[in-house]
Amino acid sequence: MVEVDLNSLTLAIGKGNRAEAVRLTKQAIEAATPPAQVLAAMVAAMDDVGRKFQCNQVFVPEMLIAARAMRESMALLEPLLVKAGIKPEFTAVIGTVQGDLHDIGKNLVAMMWKGANFGVVDLGSNVPAEKFIAAAREHKAKVVGLSALLTTTMPAMKQTVLALKAADLPGLKVVIGGAPITESFAREIGADGFAADAAGAVDTARRLVAAA
């Protein structure tokens, strides 16, 4: 039986080498490597990509190709994780607020959260507050991520935060972000956290759920 070097899998995902990442994942599965160990190697790759992004060593395109490599490898591993009873400890709901159709930043955060082993329910764009509340309740989410690109939809973000806070959702944390969004605006409207970028969204979500 071939012993799989999981460090190589981490490197392949970090470089966005999908073919190599898939090959090594298949090899790990065939070698009966514990799925939790394979998952840990994948998460380590995305953590490293996030750190490099924050240090300006990689940029959005590199993050995207790494996330895609992670997604293809995860598709192979997921059935084994389910069979072993291993699932993300926390679920996050994410969407772009009502009136805003932009989704590139939101999609990147969703991919990075998945890479950090959050269960992610992506509601898409132009999402009304009621849909965020219903999804958070249905999936027992611990985090809701709200995105906005247009300054004209910032009032909708405020209303969505207020609605989420008024709903009976104990322990739920709300994270906001997007081009016009600032940390001071997050504090002003009562959000629990702010993220300037996708890597920051991972750090913020982890910090909030750990403190809950």
Side-chain angles (χ1 to χ4, degrees):
M1 188 176 291
V2 178
E3 185 175 344
V4 180
D5 180 6
L6 292 179
N7 288 331
S8 295
L9 175 59
T10 299
L11 290 171
I13 291 174
K15 291 177 180 177
N17 188 334
R18 285 185 279 175
E20 182 69 358
V22 166
R23 184 187 71 79
L24 289 167
T25 302
K26 287 179 178 176
Q27 195 177 82
I29 291 169
E30 290 166 2
T33 307
Q37 291 182 19
V38 183
L39 177 63
M42 294 179 179
V43 172
M46 296 310 296
D47 282 348
D48 187 52
V49 170
R51 283 191 294 269
K52 287 178 177 176
F53 180 81
Q54 290 178 318
C55 295
N56 294 317
Q57 294 175 343
V58 299
F59 302 95
V60 168
E62 288 89 349
M63 291 183 75
L64 283 169
I65 62 171
R68 286 171 185 153
M70 167 85 174
R71 184 172 59 203
E72 291 193 20
S73 293
M74 182 63 84
L76 298 172
L77 185 66
E78 200 159 15
L80 279 77
L81 293 171
V82 172
K83 188 175 179 181
I86 300 167
K87 58 183 181 180
E89 188 176 357
F90 304 107
T91 297
V93 169
I94 192 168
T96 306
V97 298
Q98 191 166 30
D100 201 323
L101 298 174
H102 296 88
D103 64 1
I104 294 174
K106 181 267 301 174
N107 292 345
L108 187 53
V109 172
M111 284 193 285
M112 290 298 289
W113 275 354
K114 287 178 184 176
N117 198 31
F118 279 79
V120 177
V121 179
D122 189 344
L123 301 179
S125 58
N126 192 27
V127 182
E130 297 77 16
K131 192 170 181 180
F132 281 110
I133 293 168
R137 183 171 287 122
E138 177 186 351
H139 297 281
K140 298 180 173 59
K142 292 299 181 186
V143 178
V144 170
L146 307 179
S147 175
L149 185 70
L150 303 173
T151 55
T152 52
T153 56
M154 290 171 69
M157 180 175 274
K158 179 179 180 179
Q159 292 304 315
T160 304
V161 171
L162 291 173
L164 285 163
K165 292 297 182 179
D168 184 22
L169 298 165
L172 181 71
K173 303 298 182 183
V174 182
V175 179
I176 68 172
I181 308 304
T182 63
E183 193 162 6
S184 62
F185 178 71
R187 288 195 299 269
E188 176 189 324
I189 67 173
D192 299 294
F194 159 76
D197 53 51
V202 172
D203 293 339
T204 300
R206 282 176 168 163
R207 174 175 53 78
L208 290 172
V209 296

